[in-house]
Amino acid sequence: MLDTSRGEPATTAPAPAASEEDPQRGCLFALSQPPLMIFLTVIGTLLLLAATHDLFLL
Protein backbone atom coordinates (compact mmCIF):
# COMPACT_ATOMS: atom_id res chain seq x y z
CA MET A 1 0.00 0.00 0.00
CA LEU A 2 1.05 3.57 -0.53
CA ASP A 3 2.03 5.42 2.63
CA THR A 4 0.43 8.87 2.47
CA SER A 5 1.45 10.01 5.94
CA ARG A 6 3.69 13.04 6.28
CA GLY A 7 6.86 12.97 8.26
CA GLU A 8 9.66 10.46 8.59
CA PRO A 9 9.28 7.29 6.54
CA ALA A 10 8.23 4.26 8.49
CA THR A 11 10.90 1.70 9.18
CA THR A 12 10.09 -1.90 8.52
CA ALA A 13 11.42 -4.78 10.52
CA PRO A 14 13.30 -7.45 8.60
CA ALA A 15 11.33 -10.60 7.87
CA PRO A 16 12.10 -13.41 10.31
CA ALA A 17 14.06 -16.31 8.91
CA ALA A 18 12.12 -19.51 8.31
CA SER A 19 12.71 -22.04 11.04
CA GLU A 20 12.32 -25.80 10.99
CA GLU A 21 9.05 -25.52 12.93
CA ASP A 22 7.49 -23.18 10.33
CA PRO A 23 7.96 -24.76 6.89
CA GLN A 24 7.40 -22.74 3.74
CA ARG A 25 3.87 -23.01 2.41
CA GLY A 26 3.58 -23.83 -1.26
CA CYS A 27 1.05 -24.49 -3.98
CA LEU A 28 -0.80 -27.26 -2.14
CA PHE A 29 -1.49 -24.89 0.75
CA ALA A 30 -2.93 -22.36 -1.70
CA LEU A 31 -5.18 -25.01 -3.25
CA SER A 32 -6.54 -25.97 0.17
CA GLN A 33 -8.18 -22.57 0.63
CA PRO A 34 -12.01 -22.80 0.36
CA PRO A 35 -12.62 -19.62 -1.74
CA LEU A 36 -10.13 -20.76 -4.37
CA MET A 37 -11.60 -24.26 -4.50
CA ILE A 38 -15.13 -22.85 -4.86
CA PHE A 39 -13.96 -20.59 -7.69
CA LEU A 40 -12.19 -23.46 -9.48
CA THR A 41 -15.28 -25.68 -9.04
CA VAL A 42 -17.53 -23.05 -10.61
CA ILE A 43 -15.15 -22.54 -13.54
CA GLY A 44 -14.79 -26.30 -14.02
CA THR A 45 -18.56 -26.77 -13.95
CA LEU A 46 -19.05 -24.04 -16.55
CA LEU A 47 -16.43 -25.65 -18.79
CA LEU A 48 -18.04 -29.06 -18.37
CA LEU A 49 -21.49 -27.69 -19.22
CA ALA A 50 -20.12 -25.92 -22.31
CA ALA A 51 -18.32 -29.06 -23.46
CA THR A 52 -21.39 -31.30 -23.05
CA HIS A 53 -23.55 -28.69 -24.78
CA ASP A 54 -21.16 -28.65 -27.74
CA LEU A 55 -20.93 -32.44 -27.90
CA PHE A 56 -24.56 -33.42 -27.53
CA LEU A 57 -26.73 -30.45 -28.48
CA LEU A 58 -24.93 -28.91 -31.45
Side-chain angles (χ1 to χ4, degrees):
M1 256 179 119
L2 181 62
D3 184 17
T4 58
S5 63
R6 296 181 187 251
E8 293 185 23
T11 59
T12 58
S19 64
E20 294 178 10
E21 297 173 359
D22 186 25
Q24 294 292 325
R25 293 179 174 166
C27 183
L28 291 178
F29 175 75
L31 284 176
S32 68
Q33 302 304 309
L36 178 62
M37 291 307 296
I38 291 170
F39 172 75
L40 292 176
T41 302
V42 168
I43 296 300
T45 303
L46 291 174
L47 287 172
L48 181 64
L49 288 173
T52 55
H53 177 266
D54 287 347
L55 286 173
F56 298 117
L57 298 177
L58 291 180

